[in-house]
C-alpha cells in the first residue's frame, strides 16, 4: 500500500504497511480501486453532459463513493466490494444511454473498460496496481497536482453529499466532480492545466459549502449563541459523533420520551446552536473532545454511541458492542444501520447503565455563525475603530494525535487580550473550554461551528471587508490553520481561490505537495508553515 492523503501519514512521507488511521492494506487497495472505477464512471458522465444524458443516481453515487475513501470514514472491505461493482454497473448503463444518442463511448482502456474480479483477493490485487504510484513515469509535479485535485474533490464530494441529504444540490458541482476525476486520466494536461483545475476546485467547493450552509440553516435555522454543559446528567445516554445533522435529528425524534439524554461528541458540538435541534428537551450536552481521543472517551461512556460521516477509529473490544455506524461510515464487525431506524441504538442505550448522577462541569458557548456575529457587527466595527479590538485570529481546522498540535493551544493562550479568536472544526478542542473573557461584551473566543461551516467564516470575513471598504487581505485578520484530512484540503483551495494570503498551515505541510508546487503556493499566496506561537504572534502583530 501507499497512502499519503492525511497529515499524520507515516514519517511525513506515506503509509506503506498499515495506515496510521488504522486502514489495512486490503482496504487501502480497495479504496484505490474504487477511485479508479469512479474515474471511469466520470469519463462517461462528462460525455453524457455533452449530449444531454444525465443520471441522478450517477451523481449521488459518485459523491458517496468518493466520500467513502476519505480518512476515517469506511474501513469495511465488503462495502468497498459493493461500491466497486456498483460503479461499474452504473458506468456501463450510462455508456449505453450515451451510445444510443450517438455520443462518444470510445474509451477502450483503463478505468472506462475496467472489469472487476469476482473475489476479494483478486480485487485487492487489482487495487494494488491502481494506486498513487501506479505510473512510475509520471512527473512528480504532475502527480502532486493530480493528487491535490483528487483530495480537493474528496472534500467537495463530502460537502455536496451532506447538502444533498437535506435537499440542496447543484448540477454544476456534480459536473465538476466528474470533470476533475476524468481529467486525472488525461496525460496531455500539463502543470498550468492542472493548476487551473485545482483553483476551480476551490471555486466549486465554495459553492458546495454554500449549498450545505443553505441546507443546514434552511432546515434547522441559523445557529444562535448557546451555552452547552460539558458535565453529564443522570440517566440513560446516547452519544452522537461525526457531522451529520439529519442523523442527529432522527436520533432525537426516535428517542423522544424514552428517558434517554442525547449528547454530542467531536464536531457535533455546534449542533446545540441550531433552533430546530435545541427544541428537544433531552438534547442535553457535550461529552468528550476531538475524534482522536475517542477510544478512551468512548470506553468510559456508559451508553450507546452512533458514528455519522467520518471520524471513526478502531473500536476497543470494551465498547465494540455499544457502537453503531450509519451512512457512509463502516468498521468490520460493528453494527451498521442503513435504514435510519435507530431502534438498536435506543435499545442498547436502555440496556446500559447510563450516568449514575449529575456532574457539574464546565460549559462552553457555541452558535456564533455568520448571522450571530453580523448581528453585533456594529459593536465589532466600533471596537475595531476605537482600537479596543486590535486583531482577529481564525484558529481553525482539523485536530489530530501527531505531536506538534499543542502549538494551537499555546497560540490561543498567548493571543493578547485586545484580540479576538474565531474558531471552527475539531481543531478547537485544543482550547474550546478556555475562558478568554470578552471585549466590550464581544466574546474573545467565538465558535463558528463545524468544518462544514467554513462558509460562515468566509462570509464573516467578507462582511467585515465590506464594512471597512477594503479587501479581506487588508483586514486585521490572520488565519492559523491545522489540517488532517481532505475536507481541510478543499477548504484551503477555496481560500486560495478567493485570493487569501499569508495563511499559516500546520502542524506539517502536505506530503503530497511537491517542492515545486509548494514554491508556487509560497510565491503566489505566501502560504507558510507554523513556527512557534511566540514567533508567529510577533510576526503578525509586530
Amino acid at each position: 500500500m501507499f497512502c499519503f492523503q492525511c497529515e499524520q501519514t507515516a514519517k511525513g512521507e506515506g503509509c506503506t504497511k498499515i495506515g496510521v488511521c488504522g486502514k489495512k492494506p486490503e482496504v487501502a487497495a480497495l479504496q484505490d480501486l474504487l477511485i479508479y472505477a469512479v474515474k471511469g464512471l466520470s469519463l462517461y458522465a462528462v460525455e453524457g453532459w455533452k449530449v444531454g444524458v444525465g443520471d441522478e443516481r450517477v451523481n449521488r453515487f459518485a459523491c458517496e463513493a468518493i466520500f467513502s475513501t476519505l480518512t476515517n470514514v469506511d474501513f469495511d472491505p465488503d462495502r468497498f466490494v459493493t461500491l466497486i461493482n456498483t460503479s461499474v454497473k452504473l458506468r456501463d448503463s450510462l455508456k449505453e444511454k450515451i451510445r444510443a444518442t450517438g455520443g462518444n463511448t470510445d474509451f477502450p482502456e483503463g478505468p472506462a473498460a475496467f472489469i472487476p474480479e469476482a473475489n476479494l483477493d483478486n480485487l485487492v490485487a487489482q487495487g494494488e496496481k491502481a494506486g498513487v504510484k501506479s505510473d512510475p513515469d509520471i512527473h512528480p509535479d504532475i502527480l502532486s497536482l493530480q493528487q491535490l485535485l483528487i483530495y480537493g474533490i474528496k472534500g467537495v464530494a463530502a460537502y455536496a453529499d451532506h447538502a444533498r441529504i437535506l435537499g440542496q444540490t447543484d448540477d454544476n458541482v456534480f459536473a465538476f466532480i466528474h470533470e476533475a476525476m476524468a481529467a486525472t486520466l488525461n496525460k496531455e494536461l500539463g502543470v498550468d492545466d492542472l493548476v487551473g483545475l485545482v483553483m476551480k476546485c476551490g471555486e466549486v467547493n465554495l459553492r458546495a459549502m454554500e449549498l450545505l450552509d443553505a441546507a443546514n440553516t434552511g432546515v434547522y435555522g441559523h445557529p444562535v449563541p448557546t451555552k452547552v454543559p460539558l458535565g453529564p446528567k443522570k440517566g440513560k445516554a446516547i452519544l452522537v459523533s461525526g457531522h451529520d445533522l439529519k442523523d442527529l435529528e432522527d436520533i432525537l425524534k426516535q428517542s423522544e420520551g424514552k428517558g434517554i439524554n442525547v449528547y454530542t461528541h467531536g464536531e457535533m458540538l455546534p449542533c446545540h446552536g441550531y433552533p430546530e435541534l435545541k427544541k428537544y428537551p433531552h438534547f442535553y450536552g457535550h461529552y468528550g473532545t476531538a475524534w482522536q481521543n475517542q477510544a478512551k472517551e468512548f470506553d468510559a461512556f456508559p451508553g450507546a454511541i452512533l458514528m455519522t460521516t467520518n471520524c471513526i477509529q478502531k473500536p476497543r473490544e470494551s465498547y465494540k458492542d455499544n457502537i453503531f455506524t450509519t451512512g457512509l461510515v463502516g468498521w468490520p464487525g460493528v453494527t451498521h444501520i442503513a435504514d435510519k431506524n435507530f431502534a438498536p441504538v435506543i435499545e442498547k442505550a436502555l440496556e446500559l447503565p447510563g450516568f449514575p448522577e449529575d456532574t457539574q462541569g464546565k460549559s462552553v458557548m457555541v452558535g456564533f455563525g455568520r448571522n450571530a456575529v453580523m448581528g453585533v457587527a456594529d459593536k465589532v466595527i466600533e471596537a475595531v475603530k476605537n482600537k479596543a479590538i486590535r486583531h482577529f485570529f481564525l484558529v481553525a481546522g482539523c485536530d489530530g494525535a501527531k505531536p506538534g498540535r499543542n502549538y494551537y493551544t499555546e497560540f490561543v493562550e498567548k493571543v493578547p487580550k485586545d484580540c479576538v479568536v474565531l474558531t471552527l472544526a475539531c481543531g478547537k478542542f485544543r482550547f474550546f473550554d478556555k475562558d478568554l473573557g470578552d471585549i466590550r461584551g464581544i466574546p474573545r473566543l467565538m465558535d463558528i461551528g463545524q468544518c462544514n461551516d467554513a462558509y460562515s467564516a468566509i462570509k464573516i470575513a467578507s462582511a467585515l471587508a465590506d464594512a471597512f471598504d477594503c479587501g479581506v487581505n487588508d483586514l486585521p485578520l490572520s488565519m492559523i490553520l491545522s489540517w488532517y484530512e481532505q475536507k481541510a484540503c478543499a477548504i484551503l483551495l477555496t481560500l486560495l481561490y478567493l485570493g487569501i494570503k499569508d495563511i499559516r498551515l500546520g502542524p506539517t505541510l502536505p506530503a503530497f505537495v511537491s517542492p515545486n508546487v509548494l514554491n508556487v503556493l509560497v510565491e503566489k499566496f505566501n502560504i507558510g508553515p507554523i513556527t512557534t506561537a511566540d514567533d508567529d504572534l510577533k510576526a503578525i502583530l509586530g
Side-chain angles (χ1 to χ4, degrees):
M1 70 175 286
F2 182 83
C3 181
F4 60 178
Q5 71 174 2
C6 84
E7 189 274 332
Q8 293 185 181
T9 195
K11 299 180 181 179
E13 298 173 357
C15 295
T16 57
K17 295 181 179 179
I18 190 170
V20 292
C21 61
K23 180 168 58 178
K24 293 183 178 180
E26 67 172 2
V27 172
L30 292 170
Q31 288 184 353
D32 287 341
L33 191 59
L34 177 57
I35 290 295
Y36 182 80
V38 171
K39 289 179 181 181
L41 175 62
S42 289
L43 275 173
Y44 287 105
V46 170
E47 291 303 311
W49 289 105
K50 293 177 182 177
V51 295
V53 174
D55 190 330
E56 184 179 338
R57 293 177 305 162
V58 168
N59 296 331
R60 173 176 178 167
F61 173 81
C63 286
E64 291 179 339
I66 294 168
F67 191 175
S68 295
T69 69
L70 260 76
T71 304
N72 293 89
V73 175
D74 194 351
F75 295 81
D76 189 339
D78 291 337
R79 294 181 65 189
F80 282 108
V81 171
T82 300
L83 288 168
I84 290 165
N85 286 317
T86 301
S87 182
V88 171
K89 289 178 182 177
L90 287 172
R91 181 200 70 194
D92 291 346
S93 173
L94 186 58
K95 178 179 178 179
E96 290 307 312
K97 292 178 183 178
I98 295 169
R99 178 179 288 154
T101 68
N104 179 30
T105 59
D106 187 20
F107 302 113
E109 299 179 349
F114 156 68
I115 299 174
E117 292 285 354
N119 65 63
L120 179 62
D121 289 342
N122 289 342
L123 275 174
V124 169
Q126 285 182 305
E128 289 170 347
K129 298 176 182 178
V132 173
K133 293 194 171 185
S134 58
D135 183 357
D137 300 321
I138 193 170
H139 191 282
D141 295 338
I142 297 294
L143 177 63
S144 177
L145 288 166
Q146 286 181 350
Q147 295 308 309
L148 180 56
L149 179 59
I150 288 172
Y151 300 151
I153 288 299
K154 289 189 179 190
V156 174
Y159 292 133
D161 189 62
H162 281 300
R164 179 197 56 76
I165 287 170
L166 293 176
Q168 292 285 337
T169 61
D170 184 338
D171 283 347
N172 291 322
V173 173
F174 296 134
F176 181 73
I177 289 172
H178 293 303
E179 177 189 351
M181 295 297 285
T184 62
L185 298 171
N186 188 345
K187 294 186 177 182
E188 295 182 3
L189 296 182
V191 168
D192 290 342
D193 301 309
L194 289 168
V195 167
L197 285 167
V198 165
M199 289 297 102
K200 187 175 179 182
C201 183
E203 178 183 7
V204 172
N205 186 59
L206 180 63
R207 175 58 178 152
M209 291 193 299
E210 181 183 28
L211 290 169
L212 179 54
D213 178 86
N216 286 341
T217 59
V219 175
Y220 302 111
H222 282 276
V224 296
T226 302
K227 182 182 287 188
V228 183
L230 300 180
K233 186 177 183 179
K234 181 180 179 179
K236 305 292 186 179
I238 291 175
L239 188 63
V240 183
S241 190
H243 300 80
D244 198 281
L245 274 62
K246 181 65 168 63
D247 288 337
L248 175 60
E249 180 190 28
D250 288 345
I251 277 283
L252 288 168
K253 284 182 177 179
Q254 294 175 34
S255 62
E256 195 168 14
K258 297 184 183 295
I260 300 171
N261 295 314
V262 176
Y263 299 81
T264 54
H265 175 268
E267 286 212 57
M268 297 301 286
L269 168 61
C271 295
H272 290 275
Y274 286 93
E276 290 301 308
L277 297 176
K278 283 164 58 72
K279 69 183 184 182
Y280 292 93
H282 62 304
F283 186 28
Y284 178 66
H286 185 78
Y287 175 90
T289 53
W291 64 271
Q292 77 276 4
N293 302 318
Q294 68 186 249
K296 180 179 178 181
E297 292 171 352
F298 290 1
D299 186 55
F301 187 75
I305 303 160
L306 177 68
M307 298 300 300
T308 74
T309 67
N310 48 325
C311 295
I312 194 170
Q313 290 182 295
K314 181 180 181 180
R316 290 181 179 178
E317 290 300 320
S318 58
Y319 63 82
K320 195 171 183 179
D321 289 342
N322 304 339
I323 190 170
F324 301 81
T325 61
T326 192
L328 301 178
V329 190
W331 192 281
V334 169
T335 300
H336 185 77
I337 297 176
D339 61 2
K340 305 301 182 181
N341 178 355
F342 294 117
V345 181
I346 294 167
E347 291 166 7
K348 179 61 69 172
L350 293 172
E351 289 174 14
L352 293 167
F355 289 101
E357 59 185 5
D358 293 354
T359 301
Q360 296 301 317
K362 288 184 177 181
S363 62
V364 294
M365 292 294 295
V366 301
F368 294 99
R370 70 178 191 280
N371 265 30
V373 174
M374 298 322 298
V376 294
D378 54 340
K379 294 181 180 179
V380 173
I381 293 166
E382 181 184 3
V384 173
K385 288 181 176 179
N386 293 336
K387 310 295 184 184
I389 294 178
R390 180 173 27 154
H391 206 85
F392 296 90
F393 291 94
L394 178 64
V395 186
C398 310
D399 203 2
K402 195 173 179 180
R405 291 180 179 267
N406 287 339
Y407 163 93
Y408 297 94
T409 309
E410 183 183 354
F411 187 95
V412 169
E413 289 175 338
K414 291 183 174 180
V415 165
K417 295 187 183 301
D418 58 355
C419 299
V420 171
V421 176
L422 307 172
T423 189
L424 56 80
C426 62
K428 65 172 161 273
F429 287 109
R430 295 281 167 174
F431 49 81
F432 80 123
D433 57 351
K434 296 188 178 299
D435 183 4
L436 301 187
D438 64 84
I439 300 173
R440 297 183 179 180
I442 301 166
R444 288 192 56 233
L445 178 61
M446 289 190 273
D447 184 353
I448 298 172
Q450 300 179 335
C451 70
N452 295 8
D453 298 310
Y455 183 77
S456 249
I458 290 169
K459 296 300 287 183
I460 290 169
S462 298
L464 288 173
D466 289 343
F468 288 106
D469 194 23
C470 67
V472 172
N473 289 317
D474 300 315
L475 286 170
L477 168 68
S478 298
M479 298 191 182
I480 316 296
L481 306 183
S482 56
W483 78 283
Y484 172 66
E485 44 91 304
Q486 297 76 60
K487 285 186 284 184
C489 295
I491 292 171
L492 179 61
L493 294 182
T494 294
L495 295 174
L496 299 183
Y497 159 72
L498 292 170
I500 307 299
K501 295 184 177 181
D502 300 320
I503 295 170
R504 284 170 167 78
L505 184 65
T508 61
L509 297 179
F512 53 80
V513 174
S514 69
N516 287 335
V517 172
L518 179 60
N519 286 339
V520 170
L521 297 178
V522 171
E523 290 172 7
K524 188 169 182 179
F525 301 102
N526 200 30
I527 190 171
I530 59 172
T531 58
T532 68
D534 288 324
D535 287 348
D536 287 346
L537 280 167
K538 184 177 180 180
I540 293 167
L541 297 174

